[in-house]
Amino acid sequence: MKLLRPLAVAAVVVAVVVSPAQAATTPVATIEVPTTTPAEGTSIPVTGTVSHVSKGTKVTFQRDVGKGWDAVKTLSVDKKGHYSRSYTAVLGPNNLRIYVPKKGSRHSATSSVVTLNGPLGITPKAPKATDQIRVAGLLPSAVARPVLLQTSEPSGWVTRTTGESASSGSLALTATFPTSETVRVVAPQVMSKGKEKYPEFDSESQLVEVAPPPLALTPTPTITGETAFGTTLTAVPGSWDSGVVLTYQWQRSGVSIPGEAGDKHVVTASDVGTQLAVRVTGTKTGSTPVVRTSAPTSVVLPGDLQTSRPVVHGTPQQFAVLTADPGQWGPAPVAFTYQWLRDDAPIAGATTASYTLTDQDTGSLLQVRVTGAEPGYIAKTTTSEEVIVPGPQSASKVARALRTFHTALRDVDHEPVDIFAGPSDSLTDGNRATSVDKRWTNVLADDLRTSYEPTGVAGGLGYVDPLNFGVFPDYPVSYVRGIGNFAIGLGREGLALFDPDSQSITVDDTYSDLDILYTGVSDGSYGSFSYTVDGGAPVTVNTGDKPAKRGGYVAKISGLGLGHHVVVIRLIAGHGPAMIEGVMLYSGDRNSGVRMWEGGHSGLTAADYVAPNDGWADSLAAVHPDLVVLPIGSNDFAAGTSAADTRARIEEIIKTIRSHVDTNPSIVLLSYYDRYSSGTTPWSTYIDMYKSIAAADPDVCVFDLDPLFGPYKGDNRGGLMSSDLLHPSDAGYALIGSALATFLTAP
């Protein structure tokens, strides 16, 4: 069997070498071809030059394909001695040369030989096992004769198919090979009709590389399981062809994970934050392996660290040591870090499991914040319950309680700061003050506005209720034939309108905008009221078509311009009653500035503001308070109510306030001055009660009036009390308002 010859593409140039003595009279011939292994049926150019000859000199193009040299064609050279000719190679060796005949004094010359080896033409070049293969070529002898297509087997050459060449010597045989085979073409010896003998021919052997049959079922794998740390993911390869062997390789962000070559993968800490995929390779003998890769998973989530709320052990007193117990976390092991907090602020350097109290902790709330961390899990933080450190409230405790108020105050130029003073008693009503502007609520608002009011904003009187008509000579609200409704409004001092002809409410003052607060129902049992502005056309407000029965509905009157205005409110005839809670007067402060909402009612106690008497809290929906100043308890003390009972009611009031607002207001308990009481409980017990409420609540602090007014002696306390020796004088109200403003804004 002949060996396979390597294919090459090269230009071959061959020349005749002669001695210098012959150069003048002997031509030099060259022959060139672009390749020595032309493909079957391909015509290639044969070119060259002949020196020392004139234009038109005849040269002979010759070949030898195993039967000696034959003339193929006589060629003529051009004036530079160039010639050219195309040639189609036959199977086997094709020896080519140029012969220059002798003429006159010119010697004959022959070029060197160029040998072509024309391989079999096999198509397609990379057949599949099911493809029919065509083997073609051109025999050296132009004669029709049998041809055999043979394959090399261990026992020798075996004929696979037969055919016959054309008279030109061309042949084409077809066969189907399931696997790669080495093939050749054989043409047995024949005799022509003219008794010419054509010898046996066998081609060079060639390898037919047959592509293995593809796999039919090669699904894309999927992954099941939760993509979170610690879980197990499973590769689902799908249904492949029978007999296919599957192997797996897990990938993290497109990169193979060493050692993860099974159908399951336990998600590790290294996987957190990445996407996983699995690559499945299907292998079957006789077929090309197929690789399929799943879609990437969602980003792997950290594990869910199980936490516990830490517990603080130890007695909270000065110089005592407190110890944090983080509780049960898991899975173990969990690494813990600690941060102790004083009034919600980190204590510098207090970052271990134990903490020694200092004098700075007196009157504060202490907590420990524990953070647990473990590879593969999200670090989590929990905070202990607050531990009360006895003593006067600290500056940090006050700052924490006033955090909401201080945050709002910093943005007073862009958003209003709303202060609700109540629910309360005659102290907030301003009983015995000579002017509405002399009440402590007005003094507080004015003092705050001095430092914080936006430029160009005067600030209005704020919220007032109708029933204080007549208490102050300059009160802006008056009414005719008012019927009090003591269940509605911020201070339970609303007014019911039943008669459209004989009843009215008038708001006569200087303001830029006005809100009318009223109670609404959904069942139509309340009627409609109208209001007029400066004698203009009436505007109707229906109070019976609201989403729910509650207080705090608002009819807004805007854009009046700052000046003197008169608004008159009346019931509309033919309708049920209208419940007016109060009015809010603005002087340029509808959208910014400090605003005061007063909720006092003379004679009431804490018990008068808790369920079932808590309807007043519905009106807080219109307030959105940033600060609640809560002066309540003086009448409870005077009535002999125990401090414990009053405490329970005040705590219920605080809870009611928080449940009715959309803010987290700062709350200041206004601890009264000592006064006459029919009971036996000393006022100091009430002072301690206020302090204990604040000590246990991080958003509550105490402002104590007792140091301002001194002990009760039945006198006017240096001019701070009015003639009834119970309510403050104008000077006393001014002292309360200014001192409270200082307390609220202390650095």
Side-chain angles (χ1 to χ4, degrees):
M1 179 177 74
K2 296 183 178 179
L3 298 175
L4 293 174
R5 295 190 178 182
L7 299 178
V9 178
V12 180
V13 181
V14 183
V16 176
V17 181
V18 299
S19 67
Q22 297 172 314
T25 58
T26 302
V28 177
T30 64
I31 183 170
E32 299 179 20
V33 292
T35 176
T36 59
T37 55
E40 177 269 331
T42 301
S43 178
I44 64 170
V46 179
T47 60
T49 60
V50 181
S51 65
H52 303 98
V53 295
S54 60
K55 179 181 178 181
T57 298
K58 304 296 184 182
V59 296
T60 304
F61 176 37
Q62 298 177 332
R63 77 169 184 176
D64 177 6
V65 291
K67 296 171 58 178
W69 290 101
D70 293 326
V72 178
K73 186 72 174 178
T74 299
L75 309 175
S76 298
V77 302
D78 62 15
K79 64 180 180 179
K80 293 185 177 180
H82 295 160
Y83 66 88
S84 64
R85 168 70 180 176
S86 62
Y87 177 73
T88 301
V90 299
L91 294 172
N94 292 242
N95 298 309
L96 306 181
R97 72 181 185 183
I98 294 296
Y99 172 70
V100 183
K102 182 179 183 303
K103 184 176 181 181
S105 61
R106 184 188 67 203
H107 295 285
S108 63
T110 304
S111 71
S112 295
V113 177
V114 172
T115 301
L116 309 181
N117 263 294
L120 292 168
I122 300 174
T123 54
K125 288 295 183 185
K128 299 176 183 176
T130 55
D131 287 346
Q132 190 176 62
I133 301 167
R134 180 179 183 273
V135 180
L138 184 64
L139 295 173
S141 301
V143 63
R145 57 171 162 171
V147 289
L148 312 175
L149 180 61
Q150 298 181 330
T151 59
S152 178
E153 305 294 340
S155 60
W157 289 98
V158 176
T159 300
R160 297 293 294 271
T161 187
T162 62
E164 188 170 307
S165 66
S167 59
S168 63
S170 64
L171 62 92
L173 299 171
T174 58
T176 301
F177 298 150
T179 60
S180 299
E181 299 279 3
T182 299
V183 302
R184 73 176 183 179
V185 170
V186 175
Q189 176 179 296
V190 296
M191 298 288 291
S192 69
K193 292 180 180 180
K195 305 299 182 181
E196 183 178 359
K197 182 179 180 181
Y198 294 92
E200 178 182 347
F201 170 83
D202 61 319
S203 71
E204 297 284 345
S205 59
Q206 291 180 236
L207 178 65
V208 179
E209 294 190 27
V210 176
L215 297 176
L217 300 177
T218 59
T220 299
T222 57
I223 296 174
T224 61
E226 182 185 1
T227 51
F229 172 69
T231 62
T232 298
L233 302 181
T234 301
V236 181
S239 298
W240 290 65
D241 289 352
S242 177
V244 172
V245 177
L246 300 178
T247 57
Y248 301 86
Q249 177 60 61
W250 289 87
Q251 297 177 326
R252 179 189 302 123
S253 298
V255 179
S256 295
I257 305 174
E260 292 301 295
D263 65 343
K264 297 184 184 300
H265 172 69
V266 177
V267 181
T268 68
S270 298
D271 299 327
V272 173
T274 70
Q275 290 178 288
L276 300 175
V278 64
R279 186 179 67 211
V280 177
T281 301
T283 304
K284 184 177 182 180
T285 302
S287 297
T288 302
V290 175
V291 178
R292 294 286 183 264
T293 303
S294 71
T297 65
S298 57
V299 174
V300 175
L301 300 175
D304 186 18
L305 195 64
Q306 300 303 307
T307 66
S308 179
R309 189 171 192 182
V311 176
V312 175
H313 297 288
T315 302
Q317 60 188 20
Q318 192 173 11
F319 306 125
V321 177
L322 301 182
T323 303
D325 178 0
Q328 298 298 315
W329 295 56
V334 178
F336 297 108
T337 57
Y338 301 87
Q339 176 62 65
W340 291 85
L341 310 174
R342 178 190 302 121
D343 296 315
D344 208 33
I347 302 173
T351 57
T352 64
S354 61
Y355 173 68
T356 302
L357 277 73
T358 70
D359 54 2
Q360 290 180 289
D361 300 315
T362 301
S364 294
L365 294 175
L366 295 184
Q367 291 172 285
V368 64
R369 188 167 62 207
V370 176
T371 298
E374 184 174 349
Y377 293 87
I378 295 178
K380 289 188 176 181
T381 299
T382 59
T383 305
S384 71
E385 292 185 356
E386 289 166 314
V387 175
I388 302 171
V389 182
Q393 65 183 2
S394 64
S396 61
K397 173 65 171 70
V398 174
R400 178 179 178 179
L402 296 178
R403 184 164 46 190
T404 297
F405 173 65
H406 289 160
T407 299
L409 205 58
R410 286 192 291 270
D411 198 36
V412 69
D413 288 346
H414 307 97
E415 295 287 340
V417 176
D418 288 292
I419 302 172
F420 172 49
S424 185
D425 48 35
S426 56
L427 184 74
T428 301
D429 248 355
N431 197 307
R432 299 305 175 101
T434 61
S435 165
V436 69
D437 290 329
K438 300 295 185 179
R439 300 180 303 175
W440 72 263
T441 53
N442 294 72
V443 174
L444 170 62
D446 289 342
D447 279 12
L448 292 175
R449 287 166 177 165
T450 298
S451 300
Y452 297 99
E453 197 75 345
T455 302
V457 175
L461 178 63
Y463 177 83
V464 292
D465 59 68
L467 291 189
N468 267 329
F469 168 51
V471 175
F472 306 102
D474 54 352
Y475 202 66
V477 181
S478 63
Y479 59 85
V480 176
R481 294 191 61 199
I483 300 177
N485 185 333
F486 300 109
I488 65 173
L490 294 175
R492 295 185 54 187
E493 291 185 322
L495 194 70
L497 297 178
F498 289 91
D499 186 346
D501 298 322
S502 62
Q503 287 182 291
S504 64
I505 300 173
T506 300
V507 185
D508 185 349
D509 202 12
T510 297
Y511 48 90
S512 62
D513 305 271
L514 179 75
D515 287 347
I516 303 172
L517 276 69
Y518 61 92
T519 298
V521 295
S522 60
D523 59 6
S525 58
Y526 286 1
S528 299
F529 68 86
S530 68
Y531 65 83
T532 60
V533 179
D534 298 330
V539 177
T540 299
V541 178
N542 186 355
T543 71
D545 61 351
K546 303 307 171 187
K549 181 179 180 179
R550 66 167 178 83
Y553 287 106
V554 180
K556 292 187 176 184
I557 306 173
S558 300
L560 303 181
L562 183 58
H564 180 261
H565 300 286
V566 177
V567 171
V568 179
I569 305 168
R570 298 179 184 275
L571 183 72
I572 296 178
H575 294 74
M579 305 298 173
I580 308 301
E581 300 172 6
V583 293
M584 180 71 176
L585 282 71
Y586 301 94
S587 292
D589 53 345
R590 178 177 284 285
N591 299 314
S592 63
V594 176
R595 310 192 306 198
M596 179 63 69
W597 303 74
E598 175 262 308
H601 189 141
S602 294
L604 296 193
T605 66
D608 295 316
Y609 288 109
V610 299
N613 304 312
D614 55 356
W616 60 272
D618 290 339
S619 300
L620 288 173
V623 180
H624 313 288
D626 301 296
L627 171 66
V628 173
V629 180
L630 183 52
I632 194 70
S634 179
N635 290 334
D636 302 78
F637 171 72
T641 304
S642 70
D645 287 346
T646 302
R647 172 176 180 162
R649 290 162 182 162
I650 291 176
E651 288 177 334
E652 185 175 346
I653 290 171
I654 292 172
K655 183 178 179 180
T656 299
I657 291 171
R658 287 171 172 163
S659 68
H660 282 74
V661 299
D662 56 3
T663 57
N664 180 34
S666 300
I667 298 177
V668 176
L669 291 177
L670 199 65
S671 173
Y672 287 79
Y673 42 77
D674 192 5
R675 58 169 291 180
Y676 168 79
S677 171
S678 62
T680 59
T681 300
W683 179 243
S684 60
T685 304
Y686 261 66
I687 293 176
D688 291 341
M689 178 267 295
Y690 289 118
K691 291 179 179 179
S692 65
I693 293 174
D697 193 318
D699 296 313
V700 178
C701 60
V702 177
F703 180 66
D704 190 1
L705 298 183
D706 205 52
L708 299 179
F709 285 81
Y712 175 68
K713 297 179 179 179
D715 59 6
N716 69 1
R717 292 170 168 166
L720 296 179
M721 305 303 292
S722 64
S723 59
D724 68 356
L725 304 182
L726 177 62
H727 297 93
S729 63
D730 287 350
Y733 280 124
L735 177 63
I736 294 172
S738 295
L740 181 55
T742 300
F743 173 80
L744 292 173
T745 58

